[in-house]
Amino acid sequence: MSSTSQVQGRLQGVLSTLKDGLVGHRSASTSSKVPALSTPVKLGAIELRNRNIMASLTRSRSVPTTIPNDANFEYYVQRARSAGLVMTEGTVIVHQGTNWPNAAGIWSMEHARAWKRITDEVHNVGGKIFCQLWHTGRIANNDMPEQKLAGKPVPGPSAVQARGGEGLFERFGLDKSSGYSMPEPIEDPTTIIADYKNAAVMAKEAGFDGVELHSANGYLVHQFLDFNTNKRTDKWGGSVENRCRFGLETLKALVSVWGPDRVGIKINPCGGYDDVGMPLEETKETFTYYIQEILKLKLAYIQLVNYLPQMDPEFDGKKRGTPHDVLGTYGPLIKDPSNPSASDTTKLLLNGGLNPDQANELISSQLIDAAV
């Protein structure tokens, strides 16, 4: 039996146990000697007091600009008192005309100083905090003030407009029919990678414990991965290897600033959200290669996102995403003692639809390291 089949069998056993309502009754698999949600874990260089990871939750509280303020301070410090690790909201790395105009940013010393006040207090209450670095790519509108401040049009891998944005910008004074703008193809992707590296430097100045690359949910890195949004014919598009190049080179830039043990990545293979998604076989081929190459970098963790129906929009009467068993498909690549190519350093985080019982059982069964 292959290692993937073995892990999938263990996963099915866990899910059957949960379905039968057996979780909560202590057994050999849930003894105090086996890791559970409330036990410590080490992610790269970071020691966490528990395995309960606070997810990135987009907020629009950095009013009147992208500079974090008292509302941000209160929000993060409150949550740092209990979470093992706090992930910031998606934190924009340059001016971007998103429908979250007051999302916090991290590209200047002014941003860094404002975040430093927050990270200092997070550490004072015993917490740890990573900054999620976010570029929305084509998920933006040219008429939004932040995009005008950028001095350039909405960018993307190719000139492929995203569906689903109509009406999102109306509350900011744009026409109700206004959606996401047709993106301007990025002439030289290395300029955007340089923006990510600058944001990583600013995050270090701000006192974060590490950074996470947002490579999920149809944003810029995900747009490069997907052949429906990436129509390039240069080294940044076409083959699986080329479509993965942007995300991998961006990770290398972050590692050059932080070292691998303070860098993580968020991945959503099922797509759907923000109009991305490929057929199943192409999805598996792309994300298997992507994860295998990421593992060579020995990052602190990979955060996988489960399929969530509520995050999968419908277009022309059909769901956009590609539902499949994320943990069963990609988990064995990352965490499997019987697989010699699996990582012995990079931890596996699972995000999406978990309750505490499920998280405890998956951790105790050594299928994941922590839950988001």
Side-chain angles (χ1 to χ4, degrees):
M1 180 182 291
S2 69
S3 62
T4 298
S5 297
Q6 290 173 332
V7 171
Q8 288 175 332
R10 288 164 57 209
L11 177 59
Q12 288 304 313
V14 170
L15 295 177
S16 295
T17 298
L18 292 166
K19 185 177 180 180
D20 293 340
L22 298 179
V23 172
H25 297 280
R26 300 195 66 78
S27 63
S29 68
T30 55
S31 71
S32 60
K33 296 181 180 179
V34 179
L37 194 57
S38 59
T39 60
V41 66
K42 187 173 184 180
L43 296 187
I46 311 300
E47 294 277 358
L48 306 184
R49 59 190 170 198
N50 62 58
R51 298 166 188 256
N52 190 1
I53 313 299
M54 177 184 146
S56 297
L57 302 167
T58 305
R59 296 292 179 261
S60 200
R61 296 178 175 178
S62 297
V63 179
T65 68
T66 56
I67 306 299
N69 56 27
D70 288 347
N72 302 109
F73 178 92
E74 181 180 10
Y75 175 80
Y76 286 110
V77 173
Q78 284 176 339
R79 287 149 181 83
R81 298 179 190 278
S82 57
L85 175 65
V86 171
M87 303 287 192
T88 69
E89 61 206 280
T91 307
V92 290
I93 65 167
V94 290
H95 289 290
Q96 295 169 59
T98 75
N99 57 304
W100 300 94
N102 298 116
I106 185 68
W107 67 81
S108 71
M109 281 304 301
E110 188 178 5
H111 290 103
R113 285 190 292 268
W115 275 114
K116 185 67 163 60
R117 175 171 166 258
I118 295 170
T119 61
D120 281 350
E121 191 59 23
V122 164
H123 295 146
N124 285 341
V125 300
K128 300 286 170 51
I129 184 168
F130 269 43
C131 184
Q132 187 189 76
L133 304 182
W134 188 34
H135 195 306
T136 65
R138 67 178 188 155
I139 306 301
N141 187 291
N142 284 324
D143 292 324
M144 289 293 285
E146 282 293 313
Q147 195 64 49
K148 292 178 179 179
L149 286 172
K152 58 185 73 173
V154 169
S158 304
V160 180
Q161 190 172 15
R163 297 170 293 177
E166 296 78 8
L168 294 180
F169 299 92
E170 184 182 11
R171 62 193 173 113
F172 306 115
L174 276 62
D175 188 85
K176 186 175 182 179
S177 63
S178 293
Y180 303 124
S181 296
M182 175 67 75
E184 179 77 17
I186 299 167
E187 183 175 351
D188 180 5
T190 64
T191 62
I192 308 294
I193 294 173
D195 289 334
Y196 275 105
K197 184 173 181 179
N198 173 67
V201 171
M202 291 299 102
K204 201 166 190 178
E205 291 283 344
F208 284 101
D209 295 292
V211 293
E212 177 182 90
L213 177 62
H214 197 338
S215 177
N217 296 358
Y219 298 118
L220 183 61
V221 180
H222 202 165
Q223 292 161 28
F224 270 94
L225 293 170
D226 193 307
F227 61 54
N228 291 303
T229 49
N230 183 349
K231 303 293 186 181
R232 302 177 75 97
T233 56
D234 59 8
K235 70 177 185 177
W236 304 97
S239 67
V240 169
E241 293 80 3
N242 282 355
R243 286 184 282 111
C244 291
R245 188 184 308 277
F246 181 81
L248 295 172
E249 291 301 315
T250 300
L251 280 174
K252 291 174 186 177
L254 304 186
V255 167
S256 73
V257 176
W258 281 92
D261 54 2
R262 290 179 181 268
V263 175
I265 186 169
K266 180 179 181 179
I267 302 172
N268 177 10
C270 295
Y273 194 76
D274 284 331
D275 197 13
V276 292
M278 298 178 288
L280 182 59
E281 289 310 308
E282 287 83 352
T283 296
K284 289 182 177 180
E285 180 185 15
T286 298
F287 283 94
T288 295
Y289 174 81
Y290 192 41
I291 290 169
Q292 287 172 333
E293 292 301 303
I294 290 169
L295 289 171
K296 294 177 183 178
L297 300 178
K298 299 187 180 299
L299 303 187
Y301 66 84
I302 295 174
Q303 178 187 169
L304 291 178
V305 182
N306 276 326
Y307 176 75
L308 296 171
Q310 65 269 32
M311 298 285 283
D312 188 2
E314 191 173 287
F315 298 108
D316 302 323
K318 295 181 180 179
K319 285 286 192 177
R320 182 66 181 83
T322 309
H324 60 292
D325 180 2
V326 170
L327 182 59
T329 303
Y330 310 104
L333 300 173
I334 306 165
K335 185 175 176 63
D336 180 5
S338 65
N339 179 6
S341 65
S343 176
D344 58 357
T345 54
T346 303
K347 296 295 194 295
L348 173 56
L349 280 54
L350 187 63
N351 180 334
L354 297 177
N355 62 39
D357 283 343
Q358 291 170 327
N360 272 311
E361 191 67 17
L362 289 170
I363 293 167
S364 297
S365 299
Q366 299 182 18
L367 291 168
I368 66 173
D369 293 295
V372 184

